[in-house]
Amino acid sequence: MANLEHLERLQQGPDAWNYWRTTSMEQPDLSGADLSGASFEFANLSGVKLDFANLEGANLKNAYLYRASLKRANLRIADLMNANLEQADLRQASLEGADLYKAKLVEARCDRANFSKAIVRRANLSRASLKGAEGRFSDFLQANLMRANLSMANFYQANLAGSNLIEANLSWANLLEVNLHKANLCRATLLQTNLCRVNSHDALFKGVTYSSEPALAASAV
């Protein structure tokens, strides 16, 4: 349940909110708040509790969400371009159709989050956890997923062209018809990974760990 005083302060706009954050020691609680369509560009939301909040279509461009808690939050079609979500908790959050271009999600917890149809181009998700995440038709072009945990994730027909998947864990992940053109999967773990009909043209697989005989050569386009 959102703190009504904190909610009123946020509704005064990013400038007033950011000033309050610099003068107050309170930890804002906006859990469950309906903030759909609101604008929080450049807002300091670090450490803020936004669990179960409705942020559908919200403008969070360049927002500072370092270590924010967004468990099960609704971020469908939200604008998160250049947002800082480092070490944020996005477990089971909905990011369907969201724009995360160049967003920072280093060490973010995104287990079972929904990235379907999201734009995650050139975002930094190094060491992030996307275990069991949904990523159908998502666009991770040139994203940094180095050492990320993508085990059991569903990336059906996703675009991972040019992405950095060095030492990433893709065990039991579904990469059916994924575009891995020029992706770097050196030393990645592909135990029981579904690689049927992937486009692996010019991709790097040096030192990859497979469960048994790699199916990639027979199934790649």
Side-chain angles (χ1 to χ4, degrees), residues 95-144:
L95 293 142
E96 186 177 359
D99 190 345
L100 290 141
Y101 178 72
K102 284 190 174 182
K104 300 176 185 68
L105 293 107
V106 177
E107 297 182 348
R109 301 176 68 183
C110 306
D111 301 331
R112 297 173 62 189
N114 186 358
F115 287 90
S116 297
K117 301 179 183 178
I119 299 170
V120 202
R121 291 187 168 207
R122 302 180 70 183
N124 188 351
L125 297 100
S126 59
R127 301 184 303 281
S129 180
L130 288 85
K131 185 176 181 180
E134 184 64 57
R136 292 176 298 171
F137 311 108
S138 55
D139 188 355
F140 280 77
L141 178 75
Q142 297 179 352
N144 182 3

Short mmCIF file of all heavy atoms in Angstrom, two decimals, residues 95-144:
data_model
loop_
_atom_site.label_atom_id
_atom_site.label_comp_id
_atom_site.label_asym_id
_atom_site.label_seq_id
_atom_site.Cartn_x
_atom_site.Cartn_y
_atom_site.Cartn_z
N LEU A 95 7.17 -6.17 -18.55
CA LEU A 95 7.84 -5.16 -19.36
C LEU A 95 7.46 -5.36 -20.83
O LEU A 95 8.20 -4.96 -21.72
CB LEU A 95 9.35 -5.26 -19.18
CG LEU A 95 9.85 -4.89 -17.78
CD1 LEU A 95 10.99 -5.79 -17.34
CD2 LEU A 95 10.28 -3.44 -17.73
N GLU A 96 6.32 -5.94 -21.06
CA GLU A 96 5.88 -6.24 -22.42
C GLU A 96 5.78 -4.96 -23.25
O GLU A 96 5.11 -4.00 -22.87
CB GLU A 96 4.52 -6.94 -22.40
CG GLU A 96 4.04 -7.40 -23.75
CD GLU A 96 2.73 -8.16 -23.68
OE1 GLU A 96 2.20 -8.34 -22.56
OE2 GLU A 96 2.24 -8.56 -24.75
N GLY A 97 6.50 -4.94 -24.36
CA GLY A 97 6.46 -3.79 -25.25
C GLY A 97 7.17 -2.55 -24.73
O GLY A 97 7.10 -1.49 -25.34
N ALA A 98 7.87 -2.67 -23.61
CA ALA A 98 8.57 -1.51 -23.04
C ALA A 98 9.81 -1.17 -23.87
O ALA A 98 10.37 -2.01 -24.55
CB ALA A 98 8.97 -1.79 -21.59
N ASP A 99 10.22 0.10 -23.79
CA ASP A 99 11.42 0.56 -24.49
C ASP A 99 12.54 0.72 -23.48
O ASP A 99 12.53 1.63 -22.66
CB ASP A 99 11.14 1.90 -25.18
CG ASP A 99 12.26 2.30 -26.14
OD1 ASP A 99 13.36 1.71 -26.05
OD2 ASP A 99 12.04 3.19 -26.98
N LEU A 100 13.52 -0.20 -23.54
CA LEU A 100 14.65 -0.20 -22.62
C LEU A 100 15.96 0.09 -23.36
O LEU A 100 17.02 -0.38 -22.97
CB LEU A 100 14.73 -1.55 -21.91
CG LEU A 100 13.61 -1.83 -20.90
CD1 LEU A 100 13.17 -3.28 -20.97
CD2 LEU A 100 14.06 -1.49 -19.50
N TYR A 101 15.86 0.86 -24.42
CA TYR A 101 17.05 1.17 -25.22
C TYR A 101 18.13 1.81 -24.34
O TYR A 101 17.89 2.81 -23.64
CB TYR A 101 16.68 2.11 -26.36
CG TYR A 101 17.83 2.54 -27.23
CD1 TYR A 101 18.43 1.66 -28.12
CD2 TYR A 101 18.34 3.84 -27.15
CE1 TYR A 101 19.50 2.05 -28.92
CE2 TYR A 101 19.40 4.25 -27.95
CZ TYR A 101 19.97 3.35 -28.83
OH TYR A 101 21.03 3.75 -29.61
N LYS A 102 19.31 1.19 -24.34
CA LYS A 102 20.47 1.66 -23.57
C LYS A 102 20.22 1.73 -22.06
O LYS A 102 20.93 2.44 -21.34
CB LYS A 102 20.95 3.02 -24.09
CG LYS A 102 21.73 2.92 -25.40
CD LYS A 102 22.39 4.25 -25.73
CE LYS A 102 23.29 4.12 -26.96
NZ LYS A 102 23.97 5.39 -27.29
N ALA A 103 19.22 1.04 -21.57
CA ALA A 103 18.98 1.02 -20.13
C ALA A 103 20.07 0.22 -19.42
O ALA A 103 20.69 -0.66 -20.01
CB ALA A 103 17.62 0.41 -19.82
N LYS A 104 20.30 0.54 -18.17
CA LYS A 104 21.32 -0.15 -17.37
C LYS A 104 20.61 -1.07 -16.38
O LYS A 104 19.91 -0.60 -15.49
CB LYS A 104 22.20 0.86 -16.64
CG LYS A 104 22.94 1.84 -17.55
CD LYS A 104 23.71 2.86 -16.73
CE LYS A 104 24.35 3.91 -17.62
NZ LYS A 104 23.35 4.78 -18.28
N LEU A 105 20.82 -2.38 -16.58
CA LEU A 105 20.23 -3.38 -15.69
C LEU A 105 21.30 -4.31 -15.13
O LEU A 105 21.07 -5.49 -14.91
CB LEU A 105 19.17 -4.19 -16.44
CG LEU A 105 17.91 -3.42 -16.85
CD1 LEU A 105 17.89 -3.16 -18.35
CD2 LEU A 105 16.65 -4.18 -16.47
N VAL A 106 22.46 -3.77 -14.88
CA VAL A 106 23.56 -4.56 -14.34
C VAL A 106 23.14 -5.17 -13.00
O VAL A 106 22.65 -4.46 -12.11
CB VAL A 106 24.83 -3.69 -14.14
CG1 VAL A 106 25.94 -4.51 -13.51
CG2 VAL A 106 25.27 -3.11 -15.47
N GLU A 107 23.28 -6.49 -12.89
CA GLU A 107 22.94 -7.23 -11.68
C GLU A 107 21.48 -7.07 -11.26
O GLU A 107 21.13 -7.29 -10.08
CB GLU A 107 23.88 -6.84 -10.53
CG GLU A 107 25.34 -7.20 -10.80
CD GLU A 107 26.27 -6.86 -9.63
OE1 GLU A 107 25.83 -6.14 -8.72
OE2 GLU A 107 27.43 -7.31 -9.66
N ALA A 108 20.62 -6.70 -12.18
CA ALA A 108 19.20 -6.61 -11.87
C ALA A 108 18.60 -8.00 -11.72
O ALA A 108 19.05 -8.97 -12.34
CB ALA A 108 18.46 -5.83 -12.96
N ARG A 109 17.57 -8.11 -10.92
CA ARG A 109 16.88 -9.38 -10.70
C ARG A 109 15.58 -9.36 -11.52
O ARG A 109 14.62 -8.69 -11.14
CB ARG A 109 16.59 -9.58 -9.21
CG ARG A 109 17.85 -9.57 -8.35
CD ARG A 109 17.53 -9.67 -6.88
NE ARG A 109 16.98 -10.97 -6.51
CZ ARG A 109 16.57 -11.29 -5.28
NH1 ARG A 109 16.61 -10.36 -4.32
NH2 ARG A 109 16.10 -12.49 -5.03
N CYS A 110 15.60 -10.08 -12.61
CA CYS A 110 14.47 -10.08 -13.55
C CYS A 110 13.88 -11.48 -13.72
O CYS A 110 13.30 -11.80 -14.76
CB CYS A 110 14.92 -9.55 -14.91
SG CYS A 110 15.71 -7.93 -14.86
N ASP A 111 14.01 -12.31 -12.71
CA ASP A 111 13.49 -13.66 -12.81
C ASP A 111 11.99 -13.65 -13.10
O ASP A 111 11.22 -12.94 -12.45
CB ASP A 111 13.74 -14.42 -11.50
CG ASP A 111 15.22 -14.51 -11.14
OD1 ASP A 111 16.04 -14.49 -12.08
OD2 ASP A 111 15.54 -14.56 -9.95
N ARG A 112 11.61 -14.43 -14.12
CA ARG A 112 10.22 -14.59 -14.54
C ARG A 112 9.55 -13.27 -14.96
O ARG A 112 8.33 -13.15 -14.97
CB ARG A 112 9.40 -15.28 -13.44
CG ARG A 112 9.88 -16.70 -13.13
CD ARG A 112 9.18 -17.31 -11.95
NE ARG A 112 7.74 -17.43 -12.19
CZ ARG A 112 6.85 -17.77 -11.26
NH1 ARG A 112 7.27 -18.01 -10.03
NH2 ARG A 112 5.58 -17.89 -11.55
N ALA A 113 10.37 -12.29 -15.30
CA ALA A 113 9.82 -11.04 -15.83
C ALA A 113 9.40 -11.26 -17.29
O ALA A 113 9.90 -12.14 -17.97
CB ALA A 113 10.84 -9.92 -15.74
N ASN A 114 8.48 -10.43 -17.75
CA ASN A 114 7.97 -10.55 -19.12
C ASN A 114 8.56 -9.45 -19.99
O ASN A 114 8.19 -8.28 -19.85
CB ASN A 114 6.44 -10.48 -19.12
CG ASN A 114 5.85 -10.74 -20.49
OD1 ASN A 114 6.56 -10.95 -21.46
ND2 ASN A 114 4.53 -10.73 -20.58
N PHE A 115 9.46 -9.84 -20.91
CA PHE A 115 10.08 -8.90 -21.84
C PHE A 115 9.52 -9.08 -23.26
O PHE A 115 10.11 -8.59 -24.21
CB PHE A 115 11.59 -9.12 -21.89
CG PHE A 115 12.35 -8.65 -20.67
CD1 PHE A 115 12.57 -9.51 -19.60
CD2 PHE A 115 12.83 -7.35 -20.59
CE1 PHE A 115 13.27 -9.10 -18.48
CE2 PHE A 115 13.53 -6.92 -19.48
CZ PHE A 115 13.76 -7.80 -18.41
N SER A 116 8.40 -9.74 -23.41
CA SER A 116 7.86 -9.99 -24.74
C SER A 116 7.68 -8.69 -25.53
O SER A 116 7.13 -7.71 -25.02
CB SER A 116 6.49 -10.70 -24.64
OG SER A 116 6.63 -11.96 -24.04
N LYS A 117 8.21 -8.69 -26.75
CA LYS A 117 8.10 -7.55 -27.67
C LYS A 117 8.77 -6.29 -27.14
O LYS A 117 8.58 -5.20 -27.69
CB LYS A 117 6.64 -7.26 -28.01
CG LYS A 117 5.91 -8.43 -28.67
CD LYS A 117 4.46 -8.09 -28.97
CE LYS A 117 3.73 -9.28 -29.57
NZ LYS A 117 2.29 -9.00 -29.85
N ALA A 118 9.57 -6.41 -26.10
CA ALA A 118 10.27 -5.24 -25.56
C ALA A 118 11.48 -4.89 -26.42
O ALA A 118 12.08 -5.75 -27.07
CB ALA A 118 10.72 -5.51 -24.13
N ILE A 119 11.83 -3.62 -26.42
CA ILE A 119 13.03 -3.14 -27.12
C ILE A 119 14.13 -2.98 -26.07
O ILE A 119 14.05 -2.10 -25.21
CB ILE A 119 12.75 -1.81 -27.83
CG1 ILE A 119 11.65 -1.97 -28.88
CG2 ILE A 119 14.03 -1.28 -28.49
CD1 ILE A 119 11.16 -0.66 -29.45
N VAL A 120 15.13 -3.85 -26.14
CA VAL A 120 16.21 -3.84 -25.15
C VAL A 120 17.54 -3.64 -25.87
O VAL A 120 18.59 -4.12 -25.44
CB VAL A 120 16.19 -5.15 -24.33
CG1 VAL A 120 16.91 -4.96 -22.99
CG2 VAL A 120 14.76 -5.61 -24.03
N ARG A 121 17.49 -2.94 -26.97
CA ARG A 121 18.69 -2.73 -27.77
C ARG A 121 19.77 -1.98 -27.01
O ARG A 121 19.50 -0.98 -26.36
CB ARG A 121 18.35 -1.94 -29.04
CG ARG A 121 17.50 -2.71 -30.04
CD ARG A 121 17.33 -1.94 -31.32
NE ARG A 121 16.76 -2.78 -32.37
CZ ARG A 121 16.96 -2.59 -33.66
NH1 ARG A 121 17.71 -1.57 -34.07
NH2 ARG A 121 16.42 -3.39 -34.55
N ARG A 122 20.99 -2.54 -27.09
CA ARG A 122 22.19 -1.92 -26.52
C ARG A 122 22.08 -1.67 -25.01
O ARG A 122 22.79 -0.84 -24.45
CB ARG A 122 22.53 -0.62 -27.27
CG ARG A 122 22.76 -0.83 -28.76
CD ARG A 122 23.09 0.46 -29.49
NE ARG A 122 24.42 0.95 -29.12
CZ ARG A 122 24.94 2.09 -29.56
NH1 ARG A 122 24.25 2.85 -30.39
NH2 ARG A 122 26.15 2.44 -29.18
N ALA A 123 21.18 -2.38 -24.36
CA ALA A 123 21.06 -2.29 -22.90
C ALA A 123 22.17 -3.10 -22.24
O ALA A 123 22.71 -4.04 -22.82
CB ALA A 123 19.70 -2.78 -22.45
N ASN A 124 22.50 -2.74 -21.02
CA ASN A 124 23.54 -3.44 -20.27
C ASN A 124 22.88 -4.29 -19.18
O ASN A 124 22.40 -3.78 -18.17
CB ASN A 124 24.51 -2.45 -19.65
CG ASN A 124 25.72 -3.14 -19.02
OD1 ASN A 124 25.76 -4.37 -18.90
ND2 ASN A 124 26.71 -2.36 -18.61
N LEU A 125 22.86 -5.63 -19.42
CA LEU A 125 22.29 -6.57 -18.46
C LEU A 125 23.36 -7.53 -17.94
O LEU A 125 23.07 -8.66 -17.58
CB LEU A 125 21.16 -7.37 -19.10
CG LEU A 125 19.93 -6.59 -19.56
CD1 LEU A 125 19.96 -6.34 -21.06
CD2 LEU A 125 18.64 -7.31 -19.18
N SER A 126 24.58 -7.06 -17.89
CA SER A 126 25.65 -7.95 -17.43
C SER A 126 25.39 -8.40 -15.99
O SER A 126 24.98 -7.62 -15.14
CB SER A 126 27.01 -7.24 -17.52
OG SER A 126 27.03 -6.07 -16.74
N ARG A 127 25.57 -9.68 -15.78
CA ARG A 127 25.38 -10.34 -14.47
C ARG A 127 23.94 -10.23 -13.96
O ARG A 127 23.68 -10.45 -12.78
CB ARG A 127 26.37 -9.80 -13.43
CG ARG A 127 27.84 -9.99 -13.83
CD ARG A 127 28.79 -9.54 -12.72
NE ARG A 127 28.60 -8.16 -12.32
CZ ARG A 127 29.06 -7.11 -13.01
NH1 ARG A 127 29.75 -7.30 -14.13
NH2 ARG A 127 28.87 -5.89 -12.58
N ALA A 128 23.01 -9.88 -14.83
CA ALA A 128 21.60 -9.83 -14.43
C ALA A 128 21.02 -11.24 -14.41
O ALA A 128 21.52 -12.15 -15.08
CB ALA A 128 20.80 -8.96 -15.39
N SER A 129 19.96 -11.43 -13.65
CA SER A 129 19.29 -12.73 -13.60
C SER A 129 17.94 -12.62 -14.30
O SER A 129 17.06 -11.87 -13.88
CB SER A 129 19.08 -13.19 -12.15
OG SER A 129 18.41 -14.44 -12.12
N LEU A 130 17.81 -13.39 -15.39
CA LEU A 130 16.56 -13.46 -16.15
C LEU A 130 16.05 -14.90 -16.15
O LEU A 130 15.47 -15.38 -17.12
CB LEU A 130 16.75 -12.97 -17.58
CG LEU A 130 16.94 -11.46 -17.80
CD1 LEU A 130 18.39 -11.06 -17.62
CD2 LEU A 130 16.47 -11.04 -19.17
N LYS A 131 16.25 -15.58 -15.07
CA LYS A 131 15.86 -16.98 -14.97
C LYS A 131 14.35 -17.13 -15.17
O LYS A 131 13.55 -16.48 -14.49
CB LYS A 131 16.26 -17.53 -13.61
CG LYS A 131 16.01 -19.02 -13.44
CD LYS A 131 16.53 -19.50 -12.10
CE LYS A 131 16.30 -20.99 -11.93
NZ LYS A 131 16.80 -21.48 -10.60
N GLY A 132 13.96 -17.94 -16.14
CA GLY A 132 12.55 -18.17 -16.41
C GLY A 132 11.84 -16.98 -17.02
O GLY A 132 10.60 -16.94 -17.06
N ALA A 133 12.59 -16.00 -17.52
CA ALA A 133 11.98 -14.81 -18.11
C ALA A 133 11.29 -15.13 -19.43
O ALA A 133 11.66 -16.07 -20.14
CB ALA A 133 13.03 -13.72 -18.31
N GLU A 134 10.30 -14.33 -19.77
CA GLU A 134 9.58 -14.46 -21.04
C GLU A 134 10.10 -13.37 -21.97
O GLU A 134 10.03 -12.19 -21.65
CB GLU A 134 8.08 -14.28 -20.81
CG GLU A 134 7.22 -14.50 -22.03
CD GLU A 134 7.29 -15.93 -22.55
OE1 GLU A 134 6.99 -16.86 -21.78
OE2 GLU A 134 7.67 -16.09 -23.72
N GLY A 135 10.63 -13.80 -23.13
CA GLY A 135 11.21 -12.81 -24.04
C GLY A 135 10.83 -13.03 -25.48
O GLY A 135 11.61 -12.72 -26.40
N ARG A 136 9.64 -13.57 -25.73
CA ARG A 136 9.21 -13.82 -27.11
C ARG A 136 9.16 -12.54 -27.92
O ARG A 136 8.62 -11.52 -27.47
CB ARG A 136 7.83 -14.48 -27.10
CG ARG A 136 7.81 -15.90 -26.55
CD ARG A 136 6.40 -16.43 -26.50
NE ARG A 136 5.56 -15.63 -25.60
CZ ARG A 136 4.24 -15.76 -25.50
NH1 ARG A 136 3.60 -16.62 -26.25
NH2 ARG A 136 3.57 -15.01 -24.65
N PHE A 137 9.73 -12.61 -29.13
CA PHE A 137 9.71 -11.50 -30.08
C PHE A 137 10.39 -10.23 -29.55
O PHE A 137 10.17 -9.13 -30.07
CB PHE A 137 8.27 -11.17 -30.52
CG PHE A 137 7.46 -12.36 -30.94
CD1 PHE A 137 6.43 -12.84 -30.13
CD2 PHE A 137 7.74 -13.02 -32.13
CE1 PHE A 137 5.69 -13.95 -30.51
CE2 PHE A 137 7.00 -14.13 -32.51
CZ PHE A 137 5.97 -14.60 -31.70
N SER A 138 11.21 -10.35 -28.53
CA SER A 138 11.91 -9.19 -27.98
C SER A 138 13.13 -8.84 -28.83
O SER A 138 13.62 -9.66 -29.61
CB SER A 138 12.33 -9.46 -26.53
OG SER A 138 13.10 -10.65 -26.48
N ASP A 139 13.61 -7.63 -28.67
CA ASP A 139 14.75 -7.15 -29.46
C ASP A 139 15.91 -6.77 -28.54
O ASP A 139 15.90 -5.71 -27.92
CB ASP A 139 14.32 -5.94 -30.30
CG ASP A 139 15.38 -5.51 -31.30
OD1 ASP A 139 16.49 -6.08 -31.28
OD2 ASP A 139 15.10 -4.61 -32.12
N PHE A 140 16.89 -7.68 -28.46
CA PHE A 140 18.08 -7.47 -27.63
C PHE A 140 19.30 -7.18 -28.50
O PHE A 140 20.41 -7.59 -28.17
CB PHE A 140 18.34 -8.70 -26.76
CG PHE A 140 17.48 -8.79 -25.52
CD1 PHE A 140 16.16 -9.18 -25.61
CD2 PHE A 140 18.00 -8.48 -24.27
CE1 PHE A 140 15.36 -9.29 -24.48
CE2 PHE A 140 17.22 -8.58 -23.13
CZ PHE A 140 15.89 -8.99 -23.23
N LEU A 141 19.12 -6.51 -29.62
CA LEU A 141 20.21 -6.21 -30.53
C LEU A 141 21.37 -5.55 -29.79
O LEU A 141 21.21 -4.53 -29.11
CB LEU A 141 19.73 -5.30 -31.65
CG LEU A 141 20.79 -4.85 -32.67
CD1 LEU A 141 21.14 -6.00 -33.61
CD2 LEU A 141 20.31 -3.64 -33.46
N GLN A 142 22.56 -6.14 -29.90
CA GLN A 142 23.80 -5.61 -29.32
C GLN A 142 23.70 -5.36 -27.81
O GLN A 142 24.42 -4.53 -27.27
CB GLN A 142 24.21 -4.32 -30.04
CG GLN A 142 24.54 -4.53 -31.51
CD GLN A 142 24.93 -3.25 -32.23
OE1 GLN A 142 24.83 -2.16 -31.68
NE2 GLN A 142 25.39 -3.39 -33.45
N ALA A 143 22.82 -6.09 -27.15
CA ALA A 143 22.73 -5.97 -25.69
C ALA A 143 23.90 -6.67 -25.02
O ALA A 143 24.45 -7.64 -25.54
CB ALA A 143 21.41 -6.55 -25.20
N ASN A 144 24.27 -6.18 -23.85
CA ASN A 144 25.34 -6.80 -23.07
C ASN A 144 24.72 -7.73 -22.04
O ASN A 144 24.14 -7.29 -21.05
CB ASN A 144 26.19 -5.73 -22.38
CG ASN A 144 27.35 -6.34 -21.60
OD1 ASN A 144 27.56 -7.55 -21.61
ND2 ASN A 144 28.12 -5.49 -20.92
#
